[in-house]
Amino acid sequence: MKTSFAKAAALTLALGAVLPLAAQAEEAASPLSFNASVTTDYRYRGISQSRVKPALQAGADYAAANGFYIGTWASTIKWIKDAPYNGGASLELDVYAGYKTEIAAGLTLDVGVLGYIYPSNDLNPSANTTEVYGALSYGVFTAKYSHSTTNLFGTADSKGSGYLDLSATLDLGDGFTLVPHLGRQNVKHNSAASYTDYSLTLSKEYAGIAFGAALVGTNTDAYVGGPSAKNLGKSGFVLSAKKSF
């Protein structure tokens, strides 16, 4: 049966309206996401990984509807090339997998495993590290514990080290979020390398980019890097910008 020009035009207009909506719905429901960011200083557990200099970072995540997830993340680094390590790696590559679910009203459990890989790091023991972790979140509060199943970031005889992370995510309104954090890194058989770190991060999303400003510091001067032996755990102000898509 022939379709008149008017009917065809109406059908075309209807499809033109419906198909983009369907595509948007499919895109919104996609379990795959990506992110890219830049920071003035890559701090991890309070310690600079980039010699108190800028770093580029990117990642990808896949979150299934049943609560399981996998992901990867990478950042430029400098600490392994610096003395006293003098290794070969200039990149950190993380791979992780886990499961997140609500176990009671308002109480969320997140458990998983995370591998930190430093290609060609040349350290003995290797800087490559594996941790298992578990986190509980209730309301704005989160408590997380990470336990190393290998030596910790190239530190000898440190298998079984632990990191406790306490934080809160506070909505200040107008798109502003404030995250206070307190952490404790215990390095097994190495009390001199154990320390406490803290941070206070203010963030806001604008034009699809999440901007952050953080005060970060530790109570240790045991971590140094670079020709001038910079204190990598000193208090500092860190700016960042992150795009997710």
Side-chain angles (χ1 to χ4, degrees), residues 24 32 98 120 137 151 153 162 166 217 224 231:
Q24 290 175 15
L32 184 63
S120 305
S137 298
N151 284 317
F153 306 121
L166 304 174
V224 298
N231 178 5

Side-chain angles (χ1 to χ4, degrees), residues 187-210:
V187 182
K188 196 164 187 180
H189 303 132
N190 194 333
S191 59
S194 301
Y195 64 93
T196 299
D197 75 286
Y198 58 86
S199 67
L200 186 64
T201 304
L202 180 67
S203 62
K204 179 178 175 60
E205 185 169 327
Y206 178 76
I209 299 176

Side-chain angles (χ1 to χ4, degrees), residues 176-190:
F176 287 95
T177 301
L178 186 67
V179 179
H181 151 84
L182 182 66
R184 176 65 186 178
Q185 177 69 73
N186 286 315
V187 182
K188 196 164 187 180
H189 303 132
N190 194 333

Side-chain angles (χ1 to χ4, degrees), residues 75-166:
S75 178
T76 57
I77 60 169
K78 293 183 181 294
W79 69 271
I80 290 181
K81 286 191 171 183
D82 289 341
Y85 301 102
N86 298 314
S90 58
L91 179 73
E92 173 187 330
L93 176 64
D94 300 346
V95 290
Y96 48 88
Y99 177 70
K100 187 174 183 179
T101 186
E102 187 175 63
I103 58 176
L107 183 63
T108 300
L109 173 68
D110 184 1
V111 294
V113 59
L114 169 58
Y116 307 83
I117 303 168
Y118 303 92
S120 305
N121 68 82
D122 301 329
L123 301 187
N124 185 21
S126 173
N128 295 344
T129 300
T130 300
E131 290 184 333
V132 293
Y133 59 84
L136 286 173
S137 298
Y138 185 81
V140 300
F141 301 103
T142 298
K144 180 178 180 181
Y145 178 73
S146 302
H147 186 84
S148 69
T149 60
T150 64
N151 284 317
L152 188 73
F153 306 121
T155 302
D157 196 25
S158 59
K159 179 180 178 180
S161 298
Y163 182 74
L164 179 62
D165 177 349
L166 304 174

Side-chain angles (χ1 to χ4, degrees), residues 22-31:
Q24 290 175 15
E26 182 179 352
E27 181 179 351
S30 174

Side-chain angles (χ1 to χ4, degrees), residues 5-19:
F5 177 79
K7 289 183 178 179
L11 180 60
T12 300
L13 289 173
L15 288 175
V18 171
L19 290 179

